[in-house]
RNA sequence: GGGGGAUUAGCUCAGUUGGGAGAGCGUCUGGCUGGCAGCCAGAAGGUCAGGGGUUCGAGUCCCCUAUCCUCCA
């Protein structure tokens, strides 16, 4: 057989993709009804495909046999049923789904397929959410979201308009309880997550429906009977409105749906999105040579902050070099170009990882000093990035590698505080509030965790109180190395998606917290000093973020706040405690004054203006300098004139330091003679060096030549006389 | 990581050649009223997400930032 049938991935040699591949043997079973089912595939992985043929299959250094047998397919075979969904542990679930959807399950029809899809998706999502993979916007989270939405859509197409998926996880948990009893523990949480996602998607559909109504109106008014692929793709990519649903709605209105156009548009979108430049931050070229020579640097930073180490690598401008001489010395600030990387055989510098920032410090050699500005970790190597400050250094020299102790201590405080915050969040919000991301800097920590809604002020205070209670308790902090299984047994916090080695490092804070963590910590929580949560916010749907400060930074913050308060109180000449009351009174007063000012301004002289009015052909013309009024006040004034003295044509202007504002308004009777305020105002506006326009009944303009205002007003008056006489 | 969109009253949202910030619901006041969203009249409530730019003039156009939604990887 050819590469089409007998190769994995199918047709890989000629069509790709690049990568490992090989010939395979597929095992088929013929069902009693004559259908053939593939139940097993054996892949003899032996090639690395590079580029197009010919001669594009290179041998792999080590070959292997990868084999997979479909468990459910085999069950179906052994149980003599025609589908995975009809085996003993899945059929009951299929039937439960059918009940929930008010359907009789008929395997062969459209709804049968929908019911099976819902069954599969809700089962997958129950497990995923149980493992704390929540529906979200990227990577595995996005997969969960798509599965849920597809299932809701299937429900919608069977006439369901309410959330229903969330009623199913208990059935999944009970069906699977023999092998996965732990599902029962989280089933309530899973239910809530699914319900929220369902509601969100139904809202998306609802919101899209009005938009789609407009779309159909457009299609009908232009006489077309086709929903364009572009439109469908825009609705989908922008608002998440599923094309299948749009097609159904189109059919109801006798419109066809352009699937080809849709797929083309989606492909274009995929290309545009995928075209994002993914630059390698660190080209490991020069490191590769080192990696061949040695395994990595030894890390001693848990025990000490200073080592005597040998320089084993120097990388400058992306190349390995022998030495740095005096012409490499940098004074003052350095840019990224000038950064040099030093690699030592052993070091106490912590390399940025696990959210904890790298250390800074100094390397002191016999002929020179090197300032380490950041430390990164690449493979097993610690990269000391920085600049040469004095003298010279060269490969093979011994240096004193000294970590900035004050900063390291601040980082340790923040890191241990992070563990305390994590524990407190779980205590008050529930087990689901697990870490999603974390950044630990000097006396500053940022912690993202799963939680649906904002944490209210009171709860946040309780969390902060508990953290500080644990600080005051001066609890001992200890780290130990132990097998992964033992750590799991001890109840250590582990994160989904993290790959842990067989031997892990567990950081325990008394009985308060146990986490697998490679970071550096205080010996005793009392060293943290104080933890102050300064912010709580949303990162994206389902994820919240808290930011907290510790130690010196906490103290600094209190000082600043205090200074701000004192300054404000001094400015208002009241004691600090009276500030809120005083401010409230002031804003109220300000508001009243403002209102008084505008009303006084606008009816400054309605009567006077009317007296100066000139009547032409039954219309009163009012043109005046409204000294000091802004546009809003003049509009108000025009309103009043129109109300009191129609028919009337009004043009007011005011000038102030290099700025002229004109407003013109005419009453309805005047407008009906074909006269427009917008046209009227044009000439005077150009006289003051500006332009203007507006609606027929009200127009606005402005310019810069304030000295020309009288001339412009005179012109306007003359103009209106002329217009009215015609 | 990248593409598209959104952000206007307490809530749901209107607001197009750029020219007077609106509706419904809710709140408050007064009056009418025999009910389950009772009726009428009136009022309060807005830094149009924030910042910059273009313009005589920006909720509206351009740029940046923040947040949320959405699709792709």
């Amino acid at each position: 057989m050819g590469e089409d049938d007998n190769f994995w991935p199918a047709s890989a040699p000629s069509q790709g993709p690049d990568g490992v591949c090989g010939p395979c043997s597929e095992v088929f079973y013929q069902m009693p009804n004559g259908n053939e089912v593939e139940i097993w595939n054996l892949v003899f992985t032996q090639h690395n495909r590079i580029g197009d043929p010919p001669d594009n299959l290179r041998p792999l250094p080590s070959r292997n046999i990868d084999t997979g047998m479909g468990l459910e397919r085999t069950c179906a075979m052994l149980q003599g049923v025609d589908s995975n969904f009809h085996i003993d542990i899945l059929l009951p679930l299929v039937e439960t789904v059918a009940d929930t959807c008010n359907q009789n399950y008929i395997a062969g029809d459209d709804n049968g397929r929908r019911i099976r899809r819902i069954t599969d998706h809700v089962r997958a999502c129950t497990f995923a959410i149980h493992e704390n993979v929540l529906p979200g916007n990227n990577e595995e989270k996005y997969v969960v979201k798509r599965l849920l939405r597809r299932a809701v859509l299937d429900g919608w197409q069977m006439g369901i308009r309410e959330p229903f998926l969330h009623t199913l996880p208990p059935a999944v948990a009970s069906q699977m309880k023999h092998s996965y009893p732990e599902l029962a523990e989280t089933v309530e949480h899973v239910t809530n997550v699914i319900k929220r996602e369902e509601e969100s998607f139904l809202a998306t559909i609802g919101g899209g429906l009005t938009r789609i109504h407009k779309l159909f109106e457009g299609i009908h008014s232009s006489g077309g009977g086709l929903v364009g692929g572009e439109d469908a793709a825009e609705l989908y990519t922008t608002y998440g409105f599923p094309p299948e649903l749009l097609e159904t709605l189109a059919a109801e209105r006798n419109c066809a749906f352009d699937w080809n156009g849709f797929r083309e548009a989606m492909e274009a979108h995929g290309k545009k999105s995928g075209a994002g430049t993914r630059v390698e931050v660190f080209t490991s070229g020069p490191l590769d040579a080192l990696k061949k020579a040695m395994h990595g640097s030894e890390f001693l930073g848990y025990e000490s902050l200073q080592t005597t180490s040998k320089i084993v690598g120097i990388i400058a401008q992306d190349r390995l070099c022998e030495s740095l001489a005096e012409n490499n010395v940098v004074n003052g600030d350095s840019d990224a170009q000038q950064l040099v990387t030093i690699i030592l055989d052993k070091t106490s510098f912590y390399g940025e990882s696990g959210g904890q920032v790298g250390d800074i410090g100094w390397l002191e050699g016999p002929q020179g000093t090197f300032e380490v500005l950041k430390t990164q970790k690449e493979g097993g190597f610690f990269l000391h990035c920085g600049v040469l400050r004095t003298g010279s250094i060269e490969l093979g020299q011994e240096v004193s590698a000294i970590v900035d102790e004050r900063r390291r201590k601040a980082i340790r405080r923040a890191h241990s505080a992070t563990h305390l915050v994590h524990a407190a969040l779980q205590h008050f919000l529930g087990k689901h509030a697990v870490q999603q991301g974390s950044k630990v800097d000097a006396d500053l920590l940022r912690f993202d965790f799963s939680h649906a809604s904002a944490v209210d002020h009171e709860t946040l205070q309780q969390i902060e109180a508990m953290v500080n209670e644990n600080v005051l308790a001066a609890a001992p902090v200890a780290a130990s190395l132990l097998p992964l299984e033992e750590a799991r047994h001890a109840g250590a916090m582990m994160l989904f998606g993290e790959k842990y080695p067989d031997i892990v490092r567990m950081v325990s804070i008394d009985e308060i917290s146990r986490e697998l963590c490679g970071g550096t910590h205080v010996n005793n929580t009392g060293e943290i000093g104080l933890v102050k949560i300064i912010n709580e916010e949303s990162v994206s749907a389902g994820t919240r973020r808290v930011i907290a400060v510790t130690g010196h930074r906490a103290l600094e913050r209190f000082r600043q706040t205090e200074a701000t308060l004192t300054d404000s109180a001094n400015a208002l000449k009241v004691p600090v405690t009276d500030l809120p009351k005083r401010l409230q009174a002031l804003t109220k007063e300000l508001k009243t004054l403002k209102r008084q000012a505008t009303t006084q301004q606008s009816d400054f002289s309605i009567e006077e203006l009317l007296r100066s009015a000139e009547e032409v052909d039954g219309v009163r013309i009012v043109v005046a300098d409204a000294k000091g009024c802004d546009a809003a006040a003049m509009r108000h004034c025009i309103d009043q004139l129109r109300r009191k003295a129609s028919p009337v044509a009004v043009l007011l202007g005011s000038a102030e330091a290099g700025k002229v504002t004109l407003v013109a308004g005419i009453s309805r009777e005047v407008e009906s003679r074909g006269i427009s305020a917008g046209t009227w105002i044009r000439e005077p506006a150009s006289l003051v060096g500006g332009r203007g326009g507006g609606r027929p009944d009200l127009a606005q303009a402005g310019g810069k030549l304030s000295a020309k205002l009288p001339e412009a007003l005179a012109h306007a008056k003359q103009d209106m006389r002329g217009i009215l006489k015609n």
Side-chain angles (χ1 to χ4, degrees):
Chain A
M1 286 188 257
E3 64 168 37
D4 189 21
D5 290 319
N6 209 198
F7 210 86
W8 184 92
S11 306
S14 59
Q15 289 166 29
D18 281 348
V20 288
C21 58
C24 67
S25 293
E26 295 168 0
V27 180
F28 283 81
Y29 176 78
Q30 189 171 41
M31 307 289 280
N33 63 12
N35 291 342
E36 288 177 350
V37 182
E38 179 191 340
I39 57 168
W40 202 331
N41 193 350
L42 291 141
V43 184
F44 301 89
T45 322
Q46 53 180 296
H47 302 299
N48 184 21
R49 180 192 195 271
I50 302 168
D52 290 329
D55 191 28
N56 60 341
L57 299 181
R58 309 286 158 77
L60 283 173
S62 57
R63 291 174 275 183
N64 66 66
I65 301 171
D66 183 358
T67 179
M69 182 182 73
L71 178 61
E72 287 175 351
R73 289 178 189 190
T74 308
C75 288
M77 177 192 91
L78 291 172
Q79 293 173 16
V81 293
D82 59 352
S83 157
N84 295 0
F85 288 93
H86 299 161
I87 64 176
D88 54 358
I89 61 160
L90 213 40
L91 188 58
L93 204 51
V94 171
E95 282 164 350
T96 305
V97 170
D99 277 352
T100 305
C101 300
N102 296 314
Q103 301 285 329
N104 283 321
Y105 175 62
I106 299 163
D109 68 6
D110 282 349
N111 284 351
R113 194 165 59 245
R114 289 178 179 131
I115 288 164
R116 285 195 296 275
R117 195 150 51 205
I118 293 170
T119 306
D120 174 81
H121 291 5
V122 84
R123 180 177 60 157
C125 291
T126 300
F127 276 89
I129 296 167
H130 166 79
E131 302 267 351
N132 236 310
V133 182
L134 307 181
N137 278 357
N138 47 38
E139 292 158 12
E140 72 276 0
K141 298 188 184 81
Y142 187 54
V143 174
V144 172
K145 180 168 165 178
R146 274 224 315 217
L147 290 175
L148 287 175
R149 292 196 163 200
R150 178 70 233 197
V152 175
L153 178 60
D154 281 317
W156 177 284
Q157 290 183 319
M158 290 188 288
I160 303 173
R161 298 290 178 270
E162 299 292 319
F164 70 101
L165 280 182
H166 69 278
T167 63
L168 294 167
V172 175
S174 103
Q175 189 65 47
M176 298 291 164
K177 70 175 177 229
H178 181 69
S179 302
Y180 301 96
E182 66 271 24
L183 281 180
E185 293 165 22
T186 56
V187 73
E188 194 183 331
H189 175 231
V190 170
T191 297
N192 289 336
V193 170
I194 292 182
K195 187 171 183 196
R196 215 164 42 232
E197 184 58 28
E198 280 190 277
E199 283 165 351
S200 155
F201 186 52
L202 289 171
T204 299
I205 291 178
L209 287 177
T210 53
R211 195 170 293 277
I212 281 162
H213 192 66
K214 282 183 194 163
L215 178 69
F216 282 122
E217 273 176 7
I219 290 170
H220 279 295
S221 67
S222 68
L226 180 74
V227 176
E230 288 275 349
D231 289 333
E234 193 199 325
L235 270 165
Y236 182 51
T237 60
T238 306
Y239 303 103
F241 199 88
E244 293 87 351
L245 188 49
L246 187 53
E247 184 192 26
T248 309
L249 294 171
E252 285 168 9
R253 287 171 179 74
N254 284 322
C255 283
F257 185 89
D258 178 14
W259 273 109
N260 284 331
F262 175 79
R263 272 188 280 267
E264 264 171 44
M266 285 310 292
E267 203 169 309
H269 172 67
K271 256 187 200 148
K272 213 156 59 165
S273 307
T277 48
R278 193 164 289 197
V279 277
E280 279 291 308
V281 187
F282 203 95
T283 51
S284 52
L287 264 183
D288 284 343
L290 270 179
K291 278 178 184 163
K292 282 185 187 125
M294 57 187 290
H295 279 305
S297 332
E298 190 183 351
F299 180 64
L300 300 170
Y302 293 132
E303 301 87 26
S304 70
L305 292 179
Q306 181 166 359
T307 55
T308 303
S309 312
K310 197 167 82 175
I311 297 179
V312 297
I314 301 176
I315 302 174
Q317 270 138 32
D318 224 17
R319 280 207 304 265
L320 282 173
C321 27
E322 295 286 308
S323 63
L324 292 175
E326 261 133 54
N327 61 351
N328 295 109
V329 168
V330 174
N331 293 311
D333 290 345
S334 57
D335 59 44
Q337 281 283 309
Q338 297 169 307
L339 281 191
V340 173
T341 300
I342 307 276
I343 296 147
L344 305 171
D345 62 340
K346 53 182 187 283
T347 184
S348 293
F349 282 74
Y350 185 86
E352 179 175 343
S353 61
Q356 181 178 330
V357 296
D359 280 320
I360 63 172
W362 294 87
L363 307 181
E364 292 179 355
Q367 275 115 38
T369 55
F370 182 91
E371 183 174 5
V372 179
L373 300 168
K374 62 177 177 180
T375 309
Q376 295 188 313
K377 209 167 141 185
E378 170 92 14
F381 289 94
F382 288 75
L383 312 176
H384 306 79
C385 306
V387 289
L388 188 66
R389 288 303 189 192
T390 64
S392 64
I393 55 172
E394 61 187 71
L395 213 56
Q397 272 180 341
E398 291 229 319
V399 295
S400 290
I402 307 157
V403 173
D404 183 325
E405 185 178 350
R406 195 180 153 80
R407 182 163 176 278
R408 166 65 86 80
K409 280 183 170 168
I411 293 169
R412 297 191 340 184
R413 285 193 289 268
H415 204 151
S416 299
T418 302
H419 287 210
L420 292 179
V421 167
H422 195 178
L425 285 169
Q426 296 232 320
H427 182 263
F428 284 103
L429 303 178
K431 285 284 167 209
H432 65 275
V434 298
Q435 174 171 345
Q436 293 291 323
S438 160
K439 174 160 189 191
V440 177
D441 207 329
D443 274 330
L444 177 70
L445 65 98
R446 195 182 76 193
F447 189 79
D448 300 346
F449 56 98
S450 314
H451 191 60
S453 54
V455 183
D456 64 76
H457 186 68
E458 197 180 322
T459 312
L460 210 56
Q461 283 194 332
Q462 287 177 315
I463 288 164
E464 193 180 80
M466 179 174 170
V467 170
N468 282 291
E469 201 60 47
N470 287 330
V471 170
L472 292 175
V477 181
S480 54
L481 294 174
L482 70 171
L484 183 61
E485 259 323 299
E486 260 178 58
R488 197 193 302 274
H489 194 70
M493 182 75 60
M494 295 182 196
L495 303 180
F496 178 86
E498 287 286 318
K499 289 197 180 101
Y500 293 108
D502 296 339
I503 301 292
V504 293
R505 182 169 185 265
M506 182 170 78
V507 173
S508 315
I509 305 179
D510 210 3
E511 293 301 311
I512 302 161
S513 153
R514 280 201 183 96
E515 292 196 39
L516 300 189
C517 176
T520 58
H521 287 270
V522 296
N523 296 314
N524 182 297
T525 57
E527 294 171 34
I528 298 171
L530 176 70
V531 182
K532 176 69 193 153
I533 296 177
I534 59 176
N535 193 24
E536 192 272 349
E537 63 186 2
S538 160
V539 182
S540 67
T543 307
R544 308 293 302 181
R545 167 176 296 174
V546 289
I547 297 175
V549 288
T550 58
H552 292 303
R553 213 184 272 246
L555 179 61
E556 185 52 34
R557 201 184 153 80
F558 278 112
R559 282 194 179 138
Q560 270 176 12
T561 311
E562 210 170 40
T564 310
L565 278 176
T566 318
D567 290 351
S568 311
N570 286 346
L572 291 175
K573 298 190 169 60
V574 294
V576 168
T577 45
D578 285 357
L579 259 182
K581 215 169 64 187
R582 181 78 184 122
L583 278 174
Q584 225 167 2
L586 274 176
T587 33
K588 199 174 168 188
E589 195 182 333
L590 190 65
K591 210 170 193 174
T592 335
L593 283 174
K594 259 190 181 167
R595 187 170 304 155
Q596 277 173 8
T598 46
T599 50
Q600 275 168 12
Q601 214 182 25
S602 57
D603 56 25
F604 64 115
S605 52
I606 298 291
E607 296 307 320
E608 200 177 310
L609 284 174
L610 276 178
R611 268 199 300 280
S612 72
E614 175 183 339
E615 196 170 320
V616 176
D617 197 18
V619 177
R620 287 196 248 201
I621 305 176
V622 179
V623 175
D625 185 346
K627 297 182 177 65
C629 286
D630 61 5
M634 287 190 277
R635 275 198 304 263
H636 191 231
C637 186
I638 289 170
D639 266 349
Q640 282 185 295
L641 284 167
R642 281 198 290 210
R643 208 172 304 135
K644 284 185 181 171
S646 284
V648 68
V650 194
L651 190 145
L652 300 176
S654 76
E656 53 169 321
K659 196 176 154 165
V660 183
T661 309
L662 301 174
V663 184
I666 58 178
S667 48
R668 200 159 292 148
E669 301 88 331
V670 183
E671 190 188 337
S672 65
R673 298 195 200 178
I675 296 170
S676 154
T679 319
W680 186 26
I681 206 168
R682 209 169 287 160
E683 281 284 319
S686 72
L687 279 173
V688 294
R691 285 181 310 170
R695 306 194 315 261
D697 68 314
L698 191 108
Q700 224 171 300
K704 283 169 181 166
L705 313 171
S706 39
K708 296 261 192 174
L709 180 59
E711 192 187 322
L713 291 176
H715 186 98
K717 198 163 190 174
Q718 187 59 39
D719 227 12
M720 184 49 73
R721 277 192 207 115
I723 294 169
L724 287 170
K725 276 178 186 159
N726 285 336

